[in-house]
Amino acid sequence: MLAIIGGTGLTRMQGLNVISSNKADTRWGEASGEILKGQLAGQEVLFLARHGHPHTIPPHKVNYRANIQALKDAGASAIIAVNAVGGIHPDCEPAGLMIPDQIVDYTYGREHTFFAEDLDEVVHIDFSWPYDEKLRQILIGNARSLDLAALEQGTYAATQGPRLETAGEIRRLANDGCDIVGMTGMPEAALARELDLPYACVALVVNMAAGLTDEIITMADIEKALHDGMGKVLDLLQASIKSYDEV
């Protein structure tokens, strides 16, 4: 069963016919909110709001371990994560989409692994390609079919937050080869890999990153991009849910 993790702007899944709603308590603590199980696009799916509903949990306080564990326990076989991001690559534009294929982790102080204590042996996962390629290709194929302008590869810079970055930090990220910047991509992706859950990201660009335009980044502009772009995200998710069930 496919699971959707909703980020900023997606705390409820439009069109989801909820069958059950369960508070998720794991050995790692409570998840960000209830795990919703329901029907979407004719398929059974799970949904979890990363920041809670309403949006109250900042990126550095999300219990990523509990979220991923709770989805696994609820029967998830793969995860599509939705992330609101800033655009660094010149081809990015507000309300545009990217399906990243790489990630660079700049976060710190987060509980980032299930394999930290009480181990029989040290565990090292292969994280060369952090996003599941089969799941990425489902998203890419459906974006093409829907005629959505989606960049089909790129590197996600995961920063600590909750503040936005400085112009100098964005220059550094660009020099490091990063194309988008967000605050929730890690350790979520790595934790999914640790539990053998295929994981891919739909990134919605909500602003151009600091220093790349003459404009000051405002929440009003971010909210407008969320409003303009979330319909594309929902269309892509619905089509991909159908495709996932077929493979």
Side-chain angles (χ1 to χ4, degrees), residues 4 10 13 80 82 202 233-241:
I4 308 295
L10 190 61
M13 192 73 192
I80 296 176
V82 178
V202 176
V233 172
L234 292 171
D235 288 346
L236 179 55
L237 290 176
Q238 291 205 31
S240 299
I241 287 165

Side-chain angles (χ1 to χ4, degrees), residues 219-239:
M219 285 308 300
D221 289 337
I222 289 174
E223 288 167 3
K224 182 180 185 305
L226 283 167
H227 179 269
D228 293 344
M230 197 53 70
K232 303 175 192 176
V233 172
L234 292 171
D235 288 346
L236 179 55
L237 290 176
Q238 291 205 31

Side-chain angles (χ1 to χ4, degrees), residues 49-245:
R50 184 187 291 114
H51 298 281
H53 180 70
H55 185 293
T56 57
I57 307 171
H60 66 298
K61 291 294 186 180
V62 172
N63 190 337
Y64 295 96
R65 291 194 298 183
N67 286 354
I68 299 299
Q69 185 70 63
L71 289 173
K72 177 80 169 183
D73 294 345
S77 57
I79 296 172
I80 296 176
V82 178
N83 301 79
V85 300
I88 299 174
H89 192 281
D91 289 342
C92 291
E93 58 182 22
L97 304 179
M98 178 182 283
I99 315 299
D101 64 331
Q102 276 297 330
I103 195 163
V104 180
D105 189 6
Y106 299 92
T107 66
Y108 52 87
R110 302 183 182 190
E111 296 291 351
H112 65 281
T113 180
F114 294 112
F115 302 123
E117 55 191 22
D118 299 326
L119 303 177
D120 294 327
E121 59 181 355
V122 176
V123 178
H124 301 284
I125 60 167
D126 178 12
F127 206 50
S128 303
W129 303 99
Y131 300 109
D132 181 76
E133 190 59 24
K134 185 175 180 180
L135 203 52
R136 267 189 10 93
Q137 290 303 322
I138 289 175
L139 292 166
I140 289 168
N142 282 294
R144 291 175 180 173
S145 297
L146 293 167
D147 201 23
L148 298 176
L151 300 176
E152 298 179 359
Q153 63 182 27
T155 298
Y156 180 128
T159 58
Q160 181 70 358
R163 68 169 177 83
L164 298 177
E165 298 74 31
T166 68
E169 288 168 332
I170 294 302
R171 287 194 298 271
R172 173 199 175 194
L173 299 181
N175 288 336
D176 285 351
C178 298
D179 300 298
I180 53 175
V181 56
M183 303 173 189
T184 54
M186 287 291 286
E188 194 172 271
L191 292 167
R193 179 63 54 84
E194 288 187 346
L195 292 189
D196 293 323
L197 286 170
Y199 177 99
C201 166
V202 176
L204 172 60
V205 178
V206 296
N207 61 276
M208 294 308 294
L212 298 182
T213 72
D214 295 331
E215 304 296 324
I216 298 297
I217 300 171
T218 68
M219 285 308 300
D221 289 337
I222 289 174
E223 288 167 3
K224 182 180 185 305
L226 283 167
H227 179 269
D228 293 344
M230 197 53 70
K232 303 175 192 176
V233 172
L234 292 171
D235 288 346
L236 179 55
L237 290 176
Q238 291 205 31
S240 299
I241 287 165
K242 290 181 181 179
S243 298
Y244 176 76
D245 189 66

Side-chain angles (χ1 to χ4, degrees), residues 1 12-13 16-24 33-40 44-48 71 73-75:
M1 183 169 24
R12 276 294 182 263
M13 192 73 192
L16 179 66
N17 180 23
V18 177
I19 298 170
S20 64
S21 176
N22 297 300
K23 188 172 183 180
E34 295 179 327
I35 304 291
L36 303 181
K37 183 178 181 180
Q39 291 279 339
L40 184 66
E44 199 168 74
V45 297
L46 300 171
F47 178 79
L48 173 64
L71 289 173
D73 294 345

